[in-house]
Amino acid sequence: MSSSWPLWEVFVRGKRGLNHVHVGSLHAPDAEMALRNARDVYTRRNEGVSIWVVKADDITASSPDEKDPFFAPSGDKVYRHPTFYAIPEDVPHL
Amino acid sequence: MSFDNAYESLLGHEDAHWAFGTGFAEALVGVNREFPSTVDRADIAAYCLMLGDDALIMAQRLAEWCSRAPELEEDIALSNIALDLLGQARLLLTRAGEVLERDEDSLAFLRDEREFRNVHLVEIDCGPGPGGDFGTTIARLLVFSSWRLALFSRLRGSADPVLAAIAEKGLKELAYHRDHAAQWAVRLGDGTDESHRRMQAGLERVWPFVDELFLAHPVEAKLSGVAVPSAELRSEVEGVLEAVFSASGLTRPADVPTARVAGMAGRDGVHTEAMGFLLAEMQHLHRSLPGATW
């Protein structure tokens, strides 16, 4: 039954995609079955697609309550961001 | 490109709408549809009906699991496999129809039981009806996909360019079907006592219908270079099944093939009692509203 099947998070990289993107989650008894289920549910078995599955339990998420102290410090420090460079039009993937 | 929708970054800038299952090319585009001159077109049509009917009836049986599978994910997997097979059936029936001057719908919905050429294995009730359960369905899928994969891998070399292209396309699907069935056969066979018992019972249920898969049909002999001789497939398929059995602790059932009626079986239009009921349900709407389009 579903209650005994753990939750897995699914990350997919498309044929021409550069990075894996979180597309959703599903239940499966183990990683192998999670991969196969993810292929059915999220990619329609299209060739050239890379799938990662990871047990939801193994993911540590930042807490919404700590959002401000966690992320704010970088926002006002302009020297942390490479904003002073001119980026040529034809540089891909930036 | 915004990342509001997770799929947007996957789509890229081209028409790769893969995540939604659209944007696929039409099957068999650019394939030469001329019939090889070395054999009779009518024989090719008969052969396409056999392989097409196998896929069509198996798809119908798998579709019966829709919403009844043990898990949501498995429900999707079985439906996926059914859809793959329905796709194979459509291509094969369309090819047969080019000779018989009938379209795929007419062949699927307006033929009687005696005109169907599928093997018995695909038509028997393996669940979710009273004829079986999930284990039985996995047992049938394991046998069927192992056999069809071996067949299609040889059919790629067919002298009929359309059959070769259909085999090429179907091969990837069948490899997935066999993998899925083998995964479950091992899980169930090597699972609990109850799952082992059911998986073994499933094998016992379908085993009498395995022999028919390897019996030569006269039309194969007439289609030299076009068709695949069924007897050639036996050792490869049995090797695959033995590997699954040894990995799962399952036992190969005794060979007690079902009796044939005056030497005839599914390929000759002689079917089990399940077939009539299956067709009655499958064809009901088309026969009630002949000529309707949808």
Side-chain angles (χ1 to χ4, degrees):
Chain A
M1 288 279 91
S2 290
S3 55
S4 64
W5 279 20
L7 187 68
W8 299 77
E9 300 297 334
V10 182
F11 299 79
V12 172
R13 182 167 58 76
K15 257 186 206 166
R16 282 166 289 269
L18 288 168
N19 48 292
H20 286 76
V21 175
H22 181 241
V23 292
S25 51
L26 50 77
H27 291 275
D30 59 30
E32 274 299 304
M33 202 58 100
L35 263 187
R36 283 168 172 75
N37 291 343
R39 186 166 57 165
D40 284 342
V41 177
Y42 293 110
T43 75
R44 312 286 155 145
R45 283 178 283 128
N46 208 2
E47 282 80 7
V49 180
S50 166
I51 305 174
W52 290 346
V53 290
V54 59
K55 229 184 232 178
D57 288 349
D58 291 335
I59 293 177
T60 308
S62 60
S63 159
D65 300 338
E66 296 168 35
K67 193 174 174 220
D68 281 350
F70 208 69
F71 295 110
S74 63
D76 59 350
K77 295 179 183 66
V78 73
Y79 49 83
R80 287 189 170 202
H81 304 284
T83 51
F84 303 106
Y85 300 95
I87 297 172
E89 285 283 307
D90 55 349
V91 174
H93 310 317
L94 261 180
Chain B
M1 176 181 353
S2 87
F3 285 83
D4 293 341
N5 177 343
Y7 284 108
E8 276 181 59
S9 61
L10 292 169
L11 292 175
H13 306 287
E14 294 168 56
D15 62 341
H17 292 175
W18 59 268
F20 309 110
T22 63
F24 286 101
E26 183 108 353
L28 309 194
V29 160
V31 172
N32 172 20
R33 298 201 75 90
E34 267 183 47
F35 287 87
S37 56
T38 52
V39 294
D40 192 342
R41 286 161 49 114
D43 290 332
I44 291 187
Y47 191 60
C48 288
L49 277 188
M50 294 178 185
L51 302 185
D53 286 349
D54 288 345
L56 176 66
I57 303 303
M58 186 70 177
Q60 177 74 11
R61 279 303 190 199
L62 285 170
E64 292 173 0
W65 278 94
C66 205
S67 82
R68 291 183 168 91
E71 285 288 339
L72 179 67
E73 285 81 3
E74 187 56 26
D75 213 77
I76 293 168
L78 290 178
S79 300
N80 243 327
I81 294 169
L83 287 170
D84 283 345
L85 290 172
L86 189 63
Q88 293 178 13
R90 292 188 60 188
L91 297 174
L92 286 160
L93 293 184
T94 298
R95 183 59 165 168
E98 287 171 9
V99 178
L100 304 170
E101 294 178 352
R102 299 174 70 169
D103 66 7
E104 51 177 317
D105 282 342
S106 151
L107 287 171
F109 296 120
L110 295 175
R111 274 184 300 155
D112 285 322
E113 183 181 331
R114 291 300 302 266
E115 297 170 277
F116 271 82
R117 294 290 177 260
N118 55 282
V119 291
H120 289 174
L121 177 71
V122 297
E123 74 196 35
I124 57 169
D125 175 11
C126 288
D133 54 14
F134 184 62
T136 316
T137 283
I138 290 299
R140 167 162 64 188
L141 184 61
L142 176 66
V143 170
F144 179 74
S145 55
S146 300
W147 168 75
R148 198 168 170 91
L149 182 61
L151 171 60
F152 271 40
S153 68
R154 287 162 178 78
L155 200 58
R156 273 189 302 178
S158 173
D160 178 6
V162 174
L163 270 176
I166 291 171
E168 183 70 44
K169 177 183 180 295
L171 207 59
K172 286 173 281 183
E173 299 166 347
L174 293 163
Y176 164 76
H177 303 173
R178 190 182 74 175
D179 175 75
H180 187 81
Q183 285 268 335
W184 271 116
V186 172
R187 270 158 212 279
L188 296 174
D190 194 25
T192 65
D193 288 347
E194 176 67 2
S195 74
H196 178 90
R197 183 188 68 75
R198 285 178 178 244
M199 191 62 222
Q200 185 67 42
L203 280 177
E204 306 283 347
R205 163 94 176 114
V206 304
W207 206 256
F209 302 95
V210 172
D211 195 55
E212 186 187 1
L213 302 176
F214 306 115
L215 292 180
H217 190 275
V219 84
E220 290 170 9
K222 293 200 276 177
L223 287 171
S224 175
V226 171
V228 176
S230 294
E232 251 182 42
L233 306 170
R234 193 186 283 267
S235 64
E236 180 181 331
V237 174
E238 297 210 338
V240 169
L241 295 179
E242 289 296 345
V244 174
F245 294 163
S246 72
S248 57
L250 295 164
T251 312
R252 180 198 158 114
D255 287 312
V256 188
T258 50
R260 293 161 71 79
V261 180
M264 295 188 293
R267 294 286 190 237
D268 313 294
V270 176
H271 293 282
T272 67
E273 63 179 345
M275 188 65 176
F277 294 101
L278 184 151
L279 290 181
E281 183 172 35
M282 189 178 92
Q283 298 180 335
H284 161 73
L285 190 65
H286 199 108
R287 289 190 185 273
S288 303
L289 300 163
T293 56
W294 61 81

